C-alpha cells in the first residue's frame, strides 16, 4: 500500500529522472521568483505584524503571554507559508498540470483521459486554480478571524495545520484528477472518502513547503507523488462511491 512518505520519495526520484526533469525547470524558476519577493516582504513586516497581534491580547490574559506569544508566531509562520504556496501554485499551475500528465504516462503506462491541447490545458489550469481559490479563500478568512479572537486563537495553530494539510491534498491531488476529467466537487468527495490518505499526504507536503529553498525543488516531486497517490487510492473510486 502506497503511503504519503513513500509517494513523495518515489515521486521526487521520478520527477528528476531522465526524460522528466526538463519539465521541472519552469516551475522551479516561478517558485524561486515568488519565494524571493515574499521572503523580502515578510522580513520587512513580520515584527510589526507580531507587535500588532500581541497588542490585541486583553489584560486578563497577560499572565498567559509566555504561551500566547509562541502560538502567535506559529500562526503567522503558517499563514505566510500558506499564502506563499497558494500564490506559487496559481502561477505555476499550467506547468504542474503538464508535468502531472507526463508523469502519469511514465508511472502508469497509460495517458490521462484529458484530450485537450497544450494551450487549452494551460488556460483551463488557471481556471481550475481560481475554483480552488474560491473554495479555499473564505475558509482561510474564517480561520484568520478565529486567529484574532482572544481565547479562540489558542487553538488557531492546530486549525491552520489541519487546514493546510487539507489544502495541500486538494492542490496536489487535483492535478492528476483534473487531467482525468474529475470535477472539482467529485475530487473533494474522493479525498474525503480517503480522508486518512488525503490528510497524511497533505501534511507531508505541508512540511515540505516549510523547508526553505529546498521546497523549490521538492514541490515538483509532490506533483509526481500526487499522481502516484491518485493511481493507487483514488482512481478506482466511482463517483457514487465517493459521495
Amino acid at each position: 500500500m502506497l503511503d504519503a512518505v513513500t509517494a513523495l520519495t518515489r515521486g521526487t526520484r521520478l520527477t528528476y529522472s531522465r526524460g522528466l526533469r526538463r519539465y521541472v525547470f519552469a516551475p522551479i524558476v516561478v517558485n524561486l521568483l515568488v519565494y524571493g519577493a515574499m521572503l523580502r516582504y515578510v522580513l520587512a513586516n513580520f515584527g510589526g505584524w507580531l507587535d500588532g497581534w500581541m497588542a490585541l491580547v486583553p489584560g486578563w490574559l497577560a499572565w498567559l503571554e509566555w504561551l500566547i506569544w509562541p502560538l502567535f508566531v506559529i500562526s503567522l509562520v503558517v499563514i505566510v507559508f500558506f499564502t506563499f504556496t497558494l500564490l506559487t501554485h496559481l502561477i505555476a499551475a499550467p506547468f504542474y498540470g503538464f508535468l502531472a500528465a507526463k508523469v502519469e504516462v511514465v508511472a502508469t503506462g497509460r495517458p490521462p483521459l484529458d484530450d485537450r491541447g497544450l494551450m487549452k490545458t494551460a488556460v483551463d489550469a488557471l481556471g481550475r486554480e481560481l475554483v480552488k481559490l474560491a473554495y479555499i479563500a473564505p475558509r482561510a478568512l474564517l480561520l484568520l478571524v478565529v486567529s484574532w479572537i482572544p481565547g479562540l486563537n489558542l487553538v488557531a495553530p492546530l486549525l491552520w495545520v489541519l487546514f493546510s494539510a487539507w489544502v495541500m491534498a486538494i492542490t496536489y491531488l487535483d492535478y492528476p484528477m483534473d487531467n482525468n476529467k474529475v470535477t472539482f466537487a467529485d475530487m473533494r468527495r474522493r479525498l474525503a472518502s480517503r480522508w486518512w490518505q488525503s490528510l497524511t499526504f497533505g501534511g507531508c507536503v505541508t512540511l515540505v513547503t516549510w523547508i526553505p529553498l529546498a521546497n523549490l525543488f521538492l514541490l515538483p516531486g509532490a506533483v509526481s507523488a500526487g499522481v502516484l497517490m491518485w493511481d493507487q487510492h483514488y482512481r478506482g473510486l466511482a463517483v457514487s462511491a465517493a459521495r
Side-chain angles (χ1 to χ4, degrees):
M1 194 63 131
L2 186 70
D3 59 37
V5 175
T6 303
L8 283 169
T9 302
R10 287 176 52 190
T12 301
R13 286 202 303 262
L14 185 60
T15 297
Y16 292 98
S17 63
R18 179 176 297 182
L20 285 176
R21 52 177 172 256
R22 57 185 170 181
Y23 302 111
V24 180
F25 177 74
I28 288 178
V29 171
V30 170
N31 287 343
L32 183 60
L33 293 174
V34 175
Y35 185 89
M38 193 162 186
L39 182 62
R40 181 178 179 182
Y41 179 75
V42 169
L43 291 177
N45 294 277
F46 192 86
W49 293 338
L50 189 59
D51 290 341
W53 211 340
M54 289 299 298
L56 295 176
V57 177
W60 61 275
L61 283 178
W63 64 281
L64 278 178
E65 185 171 332
W66 63 273
L67 175 62
I68 295 174
W69 187 87
L71 289 177
F72 280 174
V73 171
I74 293 172
S75 295
L76 280 174
V77 169
V78 171
I79 292 171
V80 166
F81 278 99
F82 183 77
T83 304
F84 159 74
T85 302
L86 287 179
L87 184 58
T88 56
H89 285 90
L90 180 62
I91 299 173
F95 305 108
Y96 282 152
F98 189 59
L99 173 62
K102 296 299 181 182
V103 168
E104 186 165 351
V105 174
V106 173
T108 69
R110 52 182 172 178
L113 298 177
D114 191 358
D115 54 2
R116 296 170 293 180
L118 179 59
M119 184 59 67
K120 190 175 189 327
T121 299
V123 172
D124 289 350
L126 290 176
R128 185 85 163 202
E129 289 301 309
L130 293 177
V131 171
K132 293 180 195 175
L133 188 60
Y135 171 82
I136 295 168
R139 291 163 176 79
L141 181 61
L142 178 61
L143 270 180
L144 186 61
V145 172
V146 170
S147 300
W148 287 81
I149 299 176
L152 289 180
N153 52 24
L154 296 178
V155 299
L158 176 60
L159 295 178
W160 274 109
V161 168
L162 291 174
F163 184 61
S164 296
W166 177 245
V167 168
M168 290 299 99
I170 286 177
T171 299
Y172 284 91
L173 290 168
D174 186 53
Y175 293 123
M177 294 201 197
D178 185 29
N179 287 341
N180 284 276
K181 299 183 177 180
V182 176
T183 66
F184 185 71
D186 185 23
M187 180 270 296
R188 288 189 286 112
R189 286 192 290 266
R190 292 181 192 229
L191 263 60
S193 69
R194 296 287 186 270
W195 64 270
W196 174 251
Q197 289 86 352
S198 301
L199 286 180
T200 52
F201 175 70
C204 288
V205 176
T206 300
L207 291 176
V208 167
T209 67
W210 291 351
I211 304 175
L213 295 180
N215 56 13
L216 303 178
F217 302 93
L218 294 176
L219 289 180
V223 175
S224 297
V227 174
L228 299 177
M229 292 290 289
W230 146 256
D231 189 59
Q232 176 77 43
H233 297 291
Y234 304 96
R235 186 195 292 272
L237 291 177
V239 175
S240 59
R243 291 182 186 275

